[in-house]
Amino acid sequence: MITVTDLTLKFSEKPLFKDVNLKFIKGNCYGIIGANGAGKSTFLKVLSGEQEYDSGSVSISSGERMAKLSQDHFAFDQYSVKETVKMGFPKLYELEKAKDAIYEKPDFSEEDGIKAAEMEAEYGELGGYEAENQIEQMLSGLGLEEEFHDRMMADLDEGQKVRVLLAQSLFGNPDILLLDEPTNGLDLESIAWLENFLIEFENCVIVVSHDRHFLNAICTYICDIDYGKITQFTGNYDFWYHMSQIMQKQAKDEKKKREDKMAELKTFIARFASNVSKAGQASSRKKVLEKLELEELPVTSRKFPYVHFQADREIGNFVLTAEDINSKDSEGNVLLDNFSLTVHPGEKVAFVGMEHNSITSFFDIISGDVPCEGATINWGQTTSHTYMGRDNSKYFSNDLNITEWLKQYSKEQDDAYVRGFLGRMLFTGDESLKPVKVLSGGEKVRCMLSKMMLSGANVLILDDPTNHLDLESIESLNQGLTRFSGVVLFSSHDHEFISTIANRIVEITPKGIIDRMMNFDDYLKDEQVKQLRKDAYAGTGRKIRF
């Protein structure tokens, strides 16, 4: 158990959060939510002891082991994958090293033999003999194929390292588990495995995540960082959201009552201040008014960008036919083999499955970013499309500031118009003059969304658009795409995002495509789809879970 008492943390004399009192108990999962910059990751660092605080205390029950998801993807490059995972349980790892060192002694004595036997017994009690198998199962569950299990960490790409570090934090059944954005870099299959693991996990989990479905699936409590404090709610993300809406309405109603009362008092004072018989009453009301004016309502740190796509013209009866698409990656692996697809008006198509590079290749080709010899790509005469790829770094390798950058894509060239547009996307004041080279991942996505909105296109193509976005931005984008009257082609690792937008699901598999006109939740339940997916991945060594 972790007990937080009267915790206060300040940055530049301004409290990030103040007088926090919380308890984190075994058997529960706590979701930490809040706007970017509210202090979610900082709070996890406080709990883990990495971040000092100004006042209060954080106490952990005696003898309990804490594990935290490492954010340094290069810290273990000199170790093998399995050794890196095993290091997540320091006591077991150090005991194994000590045990091996004794056996390697050239002058192994009877005393060494007794000590080694004691170590072997302790090693068995800690689960050392099952560790290898558990590590392999964990890595496979998180989507790291068996061929990578014995490689060095330095030989893995970013996404593979994320999976290993996540396995490291989960290994050895820690008493307290701290996870900062654990679904980043994971596909839907791996997220489903992690959800099941955490649902069955019997100890304490504290997690920061922007994945709403993930928070709903695993959380028993939500801790909301806002208004300079941390408030704990019983239930999952959806329950918190509904409660917050009620509380916001109550706050608005209270503000309205207060404003009406202030207007009434001002009217009375203005009318009777010079009236001798009413002077006392006017003076009394003036004191009440001053008190009301001094009371300030807390300001939320939660900000929602305004995401609204408006097509310049309605889409016609013909949208897109793509035929005979063939593509390979840089190593010669086949991504698309005679792939064909037709898209109709009114469709919002989610591309799902484990063939992420194949989906990206399809989007690159139909958008015209990458040529494809022999393929036939026909867009309808009334269509106009805009594309946000998974990697948009090429758009930001220049010396422009945000306002100058966006003006490239705006029909209206007036600075005030462009800066007003950027303000709605949370680039306020001097932020709109920030060089695009230094933007964060989330800021770049908001810029690309602004570019798409200004295009007036009636077909939107988005490859994993929720990556790098916070919950508020995801909510806004979700609503914007749901309202959009045109066609949407997109991929995502966010279950909630897919299920609330898509009316058609296309899954690219190693043995062709599965294509269904239905929402995502129905797709997952469909018995025929389940069998098709099972057959499509049979013999590939990859397990399907969603």
Side-chain angles (χ1 to χ4, degrees), residues 74-288:
F74 304 99
F76 302 92
D77 277 359
Q78 69 270 37
Y79 300 99
S80 71
V81 167
K82 287 181 181 176
E83 188 175 12
T84 298
V85 176
K86 199 171 288 185
M87 290 167 77
F89 191 175
K91 188 174 182 180
L92 178 68
Y93 178 72
E94 289 161 10
L95 181 63
E96 184 177 80
K97 288 292 181 186
K99 181 168 65 74
D100 291 344
I102 287 181
Y103 286 127
E104 289 170 4
K105 289 178 68 173
D107 54 345
F108 189 83
S109 64
E110 183 179 346
E111 185 180 344
D112 289 330
I114 295 170
K115 191 172 182 180
E118 291 172 349
M119 285 182 170
E120 291 288 2
E122 185 180 1
Y123 188 73
E125 289 174 4
L126 292 174
Y129 299 115
E130 297 83 36
E132 188 91 359
N133 185 49
Q134 288 175 357
I135 289 171
E136 288 177 353
Q137 287 182 359
M138 199 172 285
L139 290 169
S140 296
L142 288 169
L144 190 71
E145 291 86 350
E146 193 174 335
E147 62 185 281
F148 296 100
H149 291 185
D150 292 307
R151 294 192 186 180
M152 298 298 290
M153 286 289 285
D155 297 330
L156 303 189
D157 64 30
E158 194 84 355
Q160 292 166 332
K161 285 182 178 181
V162 168
R163 287 163 162 76
V164 178
L165 294 176
L166 184 52
Q168 181 192 68
S169 66
L170 302 177
F171 178 63
N173 196 38
D175 300 291
I176 300 164
L177 182 58
L178 306 182
L179 300 173
D180 192 353
E181 299 288 8
T183 62
N184 276 2
L186 299 186
D187 55 25
L188 283 164
E189 298 284 344
S190 302
I191 293 171
W193 182 89
L194 181 59
E195 283 178 2
N196 291 330
F197 181 93
L198 294 177
I199 287 168
E200 295 175 7
F201 189 72
E202 295 180 349
N203 295 331
C204 179
V205 181
I206 305 172
V207 58
V208 170
S209 178
H210 62 250
D211 187 319
R212 295 163 294 172
H213 184 272
F214 182 71
L215 292 172
N216 278 328
I218 66 169
C219 289
T220 53
Y221 290 88
I222 294 292
C223 297
D224 180 31
I225 304 181
D226 201 3
Y227 303 108
K229 59 184 181 179
I230 306 179
T231 308
Q232 193 174 95
F233 296 83
T234 303
N236 61 13
Y237 177 80
D238 276 351
F239 181 82
W240 165 83
Y241 184 77
H242 292 310
M243 283 296 296
S244 69
Q245 295 300 105
I246 292 169
M247 289 168 67
Q248 283 179 29
K249 185 178 184 306
Q250 289 174 341
K252 286 179 181 177
D253 290 345
E254 188 62 35
K255 183 181 179 183
K256 179 69 167 58
K257 287 179 183 177
R258 186 171 146 215
E259 288 173 346
D260 290 345
K261 181 66 175 175
M262 288 169 66
E264 180 187 326
L265 290 170
K266 286 177 180 178
T267 302
F268 186 93
I269 293 165
R271 184 177 178 186
F272 296 110
S274 59
N275 187 318
V276 177
S277 64
K278 299 281 189 178
Q281 294 179 45
S283 178
S284 175
R285 281 167 171 74
K286 192 174 182 180
K287 289 178 182 178
V288 175

Side-chain angles (χ1 to χ4, degrees), residues 512-530:
I513 70 168
I514 305 171
D515 187 350
R516 291 290 184 275
M517 282 297 301
M518 56 177 63
N519 65 41
F520 189 48
D521 289 327
D522 289 340
Y523 181 83
L524 299 181
K525 296 173 187 173
D526 190 281
E527 293 300 326
Q528 187 183 37
V529 169
K530 287 180 182 178

